[in-house]
Every structure is written in C-alpha cells, then in structure tokens.
Amino acid sequence: STEDIHLTTADGGTGKTTLKLYEAICLALGQPFLGFPCLSPGRTLFITGEDTAAKLSAIIGAMLRQLKIDQDETLVEQILSSIVIKKDADLCLITKDKQGFLSANRQALDRILEAVHDLKPRMIVFDPIASFWGSESALNDMNKAVAKFMGELQEKSNACVEMINHMGKQSSSQKDLSQFAGRGGSGLPSHARVVRTLQPMTAQEYREKTGTELPEGKSAIQCNIGKFTDGSPLYAKPFIIMRDGYLFERINLTPEKEKEV
C-alpha cells in the first residue's frame, strides 16, 4: 500500500480484514507483502468498528504460528508493539451543523491525530468504514465529509490511510470489479487515490485465469486495481491473491486474462 488514501472493497467473509492484518505484520517486519517490497517499515493503527480486539489479536496469533515465528520472542514483541488495535464502535467521523450541513468531525480527527502523534504509524486502517459514519440517508454528502476527514488525516500523518468497505448487493451479484462496487455511492472511490476490489474465485475461475489447478486446501481471491492515481503501470493491474490458511501470496493472471479483466 502507498502513503495515500486507499479504499478496499469486498463481500463479507472474503478475507479483507485478515489480509490487512497480514500486511501489518509484513510492515512491522519490513518484509515483502504479496511480492511487493516494504519501502517504509513501521506501525499500524487498526481501528475496528465490528470485530473485537481479542478476535483480531487471535488472528495475528494464528498468523505467527503459521509463519513459525511464534516462539521467537524478539520478533513476536516487535510485531505486537507495531500493531495497535483500537475497538471504537462509537467513533463518528462526521458531524452535522445547525444548518444541516455535514462536515468532518474535528473532535474525532483530533483524537486520532493524538494517537498518530504518539504511535507515528505508517498505516491507519478503518474496518469497516461504514461503522464510522451516520445514517445512510444522505450518502453523497456524508461521503464528501468522510473523504475530507481522510484527506486531512493522510496529510498530517503521511501514512497509508485505508478504508475497508463492504461490497454493494447489486455489485456482488453482478461480480462487479469496478471502483464503484462498494456501498456508499460514488463519493468514497472518487476521493480515494487507490481503489481495490476483491472477489472470491471458484476453482474453475482460477483454472481459466491462470491455466493451472487451484491447490487443495487453498482459496483464491481476484484483486482488481480500479484506480491507482499515480498512473504506475506496474501496480494498476488485476492479479490473484492465493490464501493458505492465514497467509497470502500473489499469483499473476495469464496476459490474455489480465487484458480481459
């Protein structure tokens, strides 16, 4: 992930939270993530509105066991001190003034910036972003306020600011991989700098797009970069994320399928 505003969209159960926690471990250790080198190791501030801190910590523990580093006290301490999980179901990123206009919640921003000042994280994750906004009756205005909040947070933290988003019902049924596939209308993807859409793959889909069989016991997720604002041809390509338990690796599509996607 780049030091910018990101939006990652997927259906529930795809593995987006687990994937971000795995990235946080790679970031803590300065190791490659999905084959991409780590250029700026550091901490992750993971703000969750759904899962408990205990559940996310258990996932990290399972990853350390699968990586076979759970007995290395030095590495375990390095990782646990680098991933700070905050459960905050009451955090609201937007506020409404007396005229009814929505804007970024300054109190919430100041609270997060205090944590940023103390932790100096390289990545800040909001999972899922819908837990931190209000009623969905005014989505466009609300998303503009959330985008403004994230823009200021990214500028002041100089970190990757990641919003985890749920897939829209219609987009899910139509297997939509575009940047506008997530809940919340067009506001969030329009203001994000990088937009990724994840979608689980069947064994047949995996075979068609890679020319090989899906290994037994593993699952596959297609990742499409619907928007990558710096225009780099290296990263703005669809690829497959192979999941093996709690660990992930990148598999490239065949050139024909890459072009088709």
Side-chain angles (χ1 to χ4, degrees):
S1 296
T2 53
E3 294 166 354
D4 226 323
I5 305 171
H6 288 243
L7 180 67
T8 297
T9 297
D11 277 323
T14 301
K16 49 193 182 295
T17 298
T18 309
L19 181 66
K20 289 307 294 186
L21 288 174
Y22 179 59
E23 182 176 3
I25 288 177
C26 294
L27 191 62
L29 297 176
Q31 294 183 352
F33 171 66
L34 299 181
F36 299 112
C38 179
L39 301 181
S40 182
R43 290 174 166 168
T44 297
L45 174 59
F46 204 104
I47 306 172
T48 173
E50 282 186 349
D51 296 316
T52 63
K55 179 181 177 180
L56 299 186
S57 297
I59 293 174
I60 292 172
M63 287 178 183
L64 298 186
R65 286 190 292 275
Q66 194 171 346
L67 287 166
K68 295 182 171 56
I69 59 174
D70 55 310
Q71 300 302 315
D72 189 322
E73 293 184 8
T74 302
L75 289 181
V76 170
E77 175 58 31
Q78 182 179 342
I79 290 167
L80 296 184
S81 63
S82 296
I83 304 175
V84 180
I85 299 171
K86 297 288 187 183
K87 167 74 173 182
D88 199 339
D90 297 324
L91 179 67
C92 188
L93 306 180
I94 59 176
T95 187
K96 183 184 288 188
D97 64 19
K98 293 179 180 178
Q99 286 76 40
F101 293 106
L102 298 173
S103 60
N105 186 341
R106 300 303 311 180
Q107 289 182 322
L109 182 59
D110 289 343
R111 261 176 65 194
I112 295 174
L113 286 174
E114 282 181 21
V116 166
H117 180 75
D118 292 338
L119 298 171
K120 296 179 173 55
R122 305 308 305 127
M123 183 163 68
I124 305 168
V125 181
F126 293 87
D127 182 23
I129 189 59
S131 290
F132 308 108
W133 64 39
S135 164
E136 296 195 14
S137 59
L139 277 177
N140 283 333
D141 289 341
M142 187 167 60
N143 283 336
K144 289 177 184 176
V146 171
K148 187 174 181 180
F149 185 104
M150 295 301 167
E152 189 167 344
L153 177 60
Q154 195 286 320
E155 184 180 345
K156 291 185 176 179
S157 66
N158 195 33
C160 164
V161 175
E162 173 80 67
M163 298 178 283
I164 304 296
N165 197 20
H166 290 304
M167 183 81 76
K169 187 175 180 180
Q170 184 175 357
S171 295
S172 177
S173 63
Q174 295 179 353
K175 290 188 174 294
D176 180 12
L177 282 168
S178 74
Q179 61 177 298
F180 300 110
R183 287 173 57 195
S186 61
L188 290 179
S190 293
H191 291 89
R193 304 274 295 171
V194 181
V195 182
R196 287 171 291 220
T197 308
L198 308 178
Q199 204 164 73
M201 301 176 71
T202 65
Q204 181 178 348
E205 289 170 334
Y206 181 84
R207 187 186 311 116
E208 290 174 353
K209 293 182 178 179
T210 65
T212 60
E213 296 294 327
L214 181 64
E216 188 175 349
K218 298 185 180 182
S219 58
I221 305 165
Q222 183 165 314
C223 176
N224 189 52
I225 312 295
K227 180 180 182 182
F228 195 85
T229 305
D230 83 348
S232 168
L234 177 64
Y235 298 110
K237 293 181 179 181
F239 57 88
I240 293 170
I241 300 171
M242 177 88 76
R243 180 172 181 175
D244 179 10
Y246 289 92
L247 306 183
F248 302 83
E249 63 176 314
R250 174 167 54 104
I251 307 291
N252 292 325
L253 277 68
T254 63
E256 295 78 14
K257 288 296 177 182
E258 187 179 273
K259 186 177 180 181
E260 180 182 313
V261 173

